[in-house]
Amino acid sequence: MQSNPKDIKTAVKRAEFTYPVMESFYTLQGEGKYQGHAAYFIRLGGCDVGCHWCDVKESWPVDTHPVKTVETLVAEALENPGRLVVITGGEPLMHDLGPLTEALQEAGFRTHIETSGVATAITGNWDWICFSPKKFKAPNEGILAITNELKVVVNHPSDIPWAQEWAEKLPESAELYLQPEWSKQEQMNPLIVDFVKANPTWRISVQTHKFLQIP
Protein backbone atom coordinates (compact mmCIF):
# COMPACT_ATOMS: atom_id res chain seq x y z
CA MET A 1 0.00 0.00 0.00
CA GLN A 2 1.35 3.41 -0.97
CA SER A 3 1.89 5.85 1.87
CA ASN A 4 -0.17 9.01 1.94
CA PRO A 5 2.18 12.02 1.59
CA LYS A 6 -0.04 13.98 3.99
CA ASP A 7 0.31 11.26 6.65
CA ILE A 8 4.09 11.20 6.16
CA LYS A 9 4.27 14.98 6.51
CA THR A 10 2.18 14.85 9.70
CA ALA A 11 4.38 12.12 11.18
CA VAL A 12 7.53 14.10 10.42
CA LYS A 13 6.06 17.25 11.94
CA ARG A 14 5.12 15.40 15.13
CA ALA A 15 8.57 13.83 15.38
CA GLU A 16 10.07 17.31 15.42
CA PHE A 17 7.97 18.44 18.37
CA THR A 18 9.06 18.04 21.97
CA TYR A 19 7.66 19.50 25.16
CA PRO A 20 9.17 20.33 28.58
CA VAL A 21 7.24 18.17 31.03
CA MET A 22 7.35 19.01 34.73
CA GLU A 23 5.26 15.96 35.59
CA SER A 24 2.60 13.61 34.27
CA PHE A 25 0.33 11.42 36.36
CA TYR A 26 -2.94 9.49 36.41
CA THR A 27 -5.45 10.65 39.01
CA LEU A 28 -8.93 12.15 39.35
CA GLN A 29 -9.78 15.59 38.03
CA GLY A 30 -10.28 17.59 41.20
CA GLU A 31 -11.86 20.76 39.87
CA GLY A 32 -14.63 22.14 37.69
CA LYS A 33 -17.02 20.40 35.34
CA TYR A 34 -15.15 17.09 35.19
CA GLN A 35 -14.41 16.87 38.92
CA GLY A 36 -14.27 13.21 39.94
CA HIS A 37 -13.43 11.84 36.48
CA ALA A 38 -10.33 9.72 35.97
CA ALA A 39 -7.80 11.80 34.05
CA TYR A 40 -4.19 11.71 32.90
CA PHE A 41 -2.50 15.05 33.56
CA ILE A 42 0.40 16.38 31.52
CA ARG A 43 1.89 19.43 33.25
CA LEU A 44 4.09 21.39 30.87
CA GLY A 45 6.87 23.68 32.01
CA GLY A 46 6.81 27.39 31.31
CA CYS A 47 4.65 30.24 32.60
CA ASP A 48 5.03 34.00 32.36
CA VAL A 49 1.85 34.93 34.26
CA GLY A 50 3.21 34.65 37.81
CA CYS A 51 0.21 34.22 40.13
CA HIS A 52 1.48 34.78 43.68
CA TRP A 53 -0.84 32.06 45.04
CA CYS A 54 0.21 29.48 42.44
CA ASP A 55 0.74 26.04 44.04
CA VAL A 56 3.09 24.80 41.31
CA LYS A 57 5.62 27.62 40.99
CA GLU A 58 8.24 25.02 40.07
CA SER A 59 6.43 24.75 36.72
CA TRP A 60 7.29 28.35 35.78
CA PRO A 61 10.74 27.81 34.21
CA VAL A 62 10.55 26.51 30.67
CA ASP A 63 14.08 25.09 30.49
CA THR A 64 14.52 23.05 33.68
CA HIS A 65 12.24 20.10 32.93
CA PRO A 66 12.75 16.85 31.01
CA VAL A 67 11.88 17.14 27.33
CA LYS A 68 9.58 14.49 25.85
CA THR A 69 8.39 13.71 22.34
CA VAL A 70 4.79 13.47 21.23
CA GLU A 71 5.23 9.73 20.75
CA THR A 72 6.50 9.27 24.30
CA LEU A 73 3.72 11.35 25.85
CA VAL A 74 1.00 9.43 24.01
CA ALA A 75 2.58 6.08 24.89
CA GLU A 76 2.75 7.02 28.58
CA ALA A 77 -0.87 8.14 28.60
CA LEU A 78 -1.93 4.85 27.00
CA GLU A 79 -0.49 2.92 29.96
CA ASN A 80 -3.61 3.95 31.93
CA PRO A 81 -7.24 2.89 31.34
CA GLY A 82 -8.74 6.39 31.34
CA ARG A 83 -9.12 8.21 28.04
CA LEU A 84 -9.25 11.81 29.25
CA VAL A 85 -6.05 13.86 29.11
CA VAL A 86 -5.75 17.25 30.80
CA ILE A 87 -2.91 19.46 29.59
CA THR A 88 -2.01 22.07 32.16
CA GLY A 89 0.97 24.00 33.43
CA GLY A 90 2.45 26.41 33.95
CA GLU A 91 0.78 28.03 31.00
CA PRO A 92 0.46 25.26 28.39
CA LEU A 93 -0.38 27.62 25.53
CA MET A 94 3.21 28.84 25.59
CA HIS A 95 3.72 25.78 23.36
CA ASP A 96 2.29 24.71 20.01
CA LEU A 97 -0.10 22.02 21.19
CA GLY A 98 -1.41 21.03 17.75
CA PRO A 99 0.85 17.99 17.21
CA LEU A 100 0.32 16.65 20.74
CA THR A 101 -3.47 17.02 20.79
CA GLU A 102 -3.85 15.57 17.29
CA ALA A 103 -1.88 12.49 18.30
CA LEU A 104 -3.80 12.10 21.56
CA GLN A 105 -7.17 12.31 19.82
CA GLU A 106 -6.09 9.80 17.19
CA ALA A 107 -5.17 7.45 20.06
CA GLY A 108 -8.70 7.76 21.44
CA PHE A 109 -8.30 10.43 24.12
CA ARG A 110 -10.47 13.41 24.97
CA THR A 111 -8.23 16.45 25.17
CA HIS A 112 -8.85 19.06 27.86
CA ILE A 113 -6.82 22.15 28.67
CA GLU A 114 -6.58 24.42 31.70
CA THR A 115 -5.28 27.81 30.61
CA SER A 116 -5.15 31.49 31.50
CA GLY A 117 -5.46 32.22 27.79
CA VAL A 118 -2.31 34.33 27.93
CA ALA A 119 -0.72 33.31 24.66
CA THR A 120 0.26 34.71 21.30
CA ALA A 121 -1.72 31.94 19.59
CA ILE A 122 -4.42 29.51 20.69
CA THR A 123 -3.18 26.14 19.45
CA GLY A 124 -4.41 22.58 19.77
CA ASN A 125 -7.51 20.50 19.05
CA TRP A 126 -9.69 20.52 22.14
CA ASP A 127 -12.72 18.68 23.44
CA TRP A 128 -12.89 20.97 26.48
CA ILE A 129 -11.31 24.34 27.25
CA CYS A 130 -11.22 25.56 30.84
CA PHE A 131 -10.38 29.26 30.79
CA SER A 132 -9.05 30.63 34.09
CA PRO A 133 -8.28 34.34 33.59
CA LYS A 134 -5.75 36.14 35.75
CA LYS A 135 -5.69 39.78 36.77
CA PHE A 136 -1.95 40.00 36.18
CA LYS A 137 -2.12 39.55 32.39
CA ALA A 138 -4.87 39.91 29.82
CA PRO A 139 -5.66 36.84 27.71
CA ASN A 140 -5.64 36.44 23.97
CA GLU A 141 -9.24 37.37 23.10
CA GLY A 142 -9.38 34.41 20.74
CA ILE A 143 -9.93 32.16 23.76
CA LEU A 144 -13.28 33.73 24.61
CA ALA A 145 -15.48 32.35 21.82
CA ILE A 146 -14.22 28.79 22.30
CA THR A 147 -14.36 28.59 26.11
CA ASN A 148 -16.35 25.68 27.52
CA GLU A 149 -15.70 26.41 31.18
CA LEU A 150 -14.84 29.58 33.08
CA LYS A 151 -13.06 28.98 36.38
CA VAL A 152 -12.10 32.02 38.43
CA VAL A 153 -9.97 31.61 41.53
CA VAL A 154 -11.38 33.79 44.30
CA ASN A 155 -8.57 35.25 46.38
CA HIS A 156 -10.40 38.48 47.31
CA PRO A 157 -14.08 39.54 47.39
CA SER A 158 -13.47 41.76 44.35
CA ASP A 159 -12.74 38.64 42.29
CA ILE A 160 -16.44 37.74 42.23
CA PRO A 161 -17.71 40.79 40.28
CA TRP A 162 -14.56 40.51 38.14
CA ALA A 163 -15.60 36.96 37.28
CA GLN A 164 -19.04 38.21 36.25
CA GLU A 165 -17.42 40.60 33.80
CA TRP A 166 -15.64 37.69 32.12
CA ALA A 167 -18.81 35.60 32.02
CA GLU A 168 -20.54 38.29 29.97
CA LYS A 169 -17.90 37.88 27.24
CA LEU A 170 -18.31 34.11 26.86
CA PRO A 171 -20.78 31.89 24.97
CA GLU A 172 -24.03 31.26 26.82
CA SER A 173 -23.16 27.57 26.88
CA ALA A 174 -20.02 28.13 28.98
CA GLU A 175 -20.08 26.54 32.44
CA LEU A 176 -19.34 29.08 35.20
CA TYR A 177 -17.30 28.26 38.31
CA LEU A 178 -15.88 30.16 41.26
CA GLN A 179 -13.09 28.40 43.14
CA PRO A 180 -11.78 29.60 46.50
CA GLU A 181 -8.03 30.05 46.69
CA TRP A 182 -6.92 27.15 48.89
CA SER A 183 -5.43 29.24 51.72
CA LYS A 184 -8.39 31.66 51.75
CA GLN A 185 -11.25 29.14 51.96
CA GLU A 186 -12.42 30.19 55.40
CA GLN A 187 -12.93 33.78 54.25
CA MET A 188 -14.02 33.18 50.65
CA ASN A 189 -16.29 30.12 50.90
CA PRO A 190 -19.22 31.92 52.60
CA LEU A 191 -19.09 34.69 49.98
CA ILE A 192 -19.04 32.21 47.11
CA VAL A 193 -21.87 30.13 48.59
CA ASP A 194 -24.07 33.21 49.01
CA PHE A 195 -23.26 34.37 45.49
CA VAL A 196 -24.05 31.01 43.88
CA LYS A 197 -27.34 30.78 45.79
CA ALA A 198 -28.29 34.21 44.44
CA ASN A 199 -26.90 33.49 40.94
CA PRO A 200 -27.69 29.83 40.20
CA THR A 201 -26.06 29.80 36.76
CA TRP A 202 -22.79 29.75 38.70
CA ARG A 203 -21.30 26.81 40.62
CA ILE A 204 -18.59 26.41 43.21
CA SER A 205 -15.48 24.42 42.41
CA VAL A 206 -13.45 23.08 45.31
CA GLN A 207 -10.09 21.38 44.97
CA THR A 208 -11.32 17.92 45.88
CA HIS A 209 -7.97 16.31 45.05
CA LYS A 210 -6.44 18.21 47.95
CA PHE A 211 -9.12 16.96 50.34
CA LEU A 212 -8.55 13.43 49.00
CA GLN A 213 -4.76 13.91 49.27
CA ILE A 214 -4.14 12.74 45.71
CA PRO A 215 -2.14 14.46 42.95
Side-chain angles (χ1 to χ4, degrees):
M1 181 182 294
Q2 187 174 7
S3 298
N4 186 325
K6 182 178 179 181
D7 292 340
I8 295 174
K9 185 177 180 180
T10 299
V12 170
K13 181 180 179 183
R14 287 178 184 168
E16 294 173 349
F17 268 86
T18 58
Y19 299 90
V21 181
M22 176 192 154
E23 60 181 348
S24 53
F25 51 90
Y26 188 55
T27 185
L28 303 183
Q29 169 62 280
E31 305 173 0
K33 172 72 172 178
Y34 283 84
Q35 176 264 318
H37 288 246
Y40 186 74
F41 278 74
I42 299 173
R43 187 182 303 282
L44 299 180
C47 184
D48 57 359
V49 181
C51 305
H52 66 86
W53 38 257
C54 177
D55 55 4
V56 282
K57 290 185 174 69
E58 57 269 36
S59 71
W60 291 2
V62 74
D63 57 357
T64 60
H65 307 289
V67 173
K68 295 187 177 183
T69 65
V70 170
E71 182 180 16
T72 296
L73 288 168
V74 173
E76 291 175 346
L78 284 168
E79 293 174 359
N80 305 282
R83 289 297 177 263
L84 189 163
V85 168
V86 180
I87 300 179
T88 185
E91 175 42 67
L93 285 177
M94 286 183 66
H95 310 280
D96 180 355
L97 298 174
L100 178 56
T101 52
E102 289 168 10
L104 286 167
Q105 289 183 342
E106 287 179 11
F109 290 96
R110 284 182 58 87
T111 54
H112 292 203
I113 187 172
E114 297 179 350
T115 176
S116 67
V118 176
T120 304
I122 310 299
T123 61
N125 297 337
W126 303 106
D127 294 295
W128 193 260
I129 295 175
C130 174
F131 169 48
S132 185
K134 304 297 185 287
K135 288 184 173 179
F136 321 105
K137 279 196 173 184
N140 181 325
E141 292 191 358
I143 197 75
L144 302 178
I146 56 175
T147 292
N148 302 109
E149 173 184 336
L150 172 68
K151 182 178 68 184
V152 175
V153 175
V154 179
N155 183 63
H156 185 273
S158 64
D159 293 331
I160 296 177
W162 185 73
Q164 288 178 286
E165 294 175 11
W166 281 112
E168 293 173 359
K169 301 175 183 180
L170 302 178
E172 289 186 11
S173 59
E175 306 268 359
L176 307 176
Y177 289 88
L178 295 175
Q179 179 171 293
E181 196 279 315
W182 183 252
S183 67
K184 298 285 186 69
Q185 289 186 82
E186 187 174 344
Q187 303 99 312
M188 297 301 112
N189 277 349
L191 301 179
I192 296 173
V193 168
D194 287 345
F195 176 81
V196 171
K197 287 165 67 176
N199 300 272
T201 56
W202 286 82
R203 301 176 190 174
I204 186 169
S205 169
V206 295
Q207 294 177 294
T208 57
H209 56 293
K210 292 186 177 181
F211 288 107
L212 293 171
Q213 297 183 350
I214 58 176

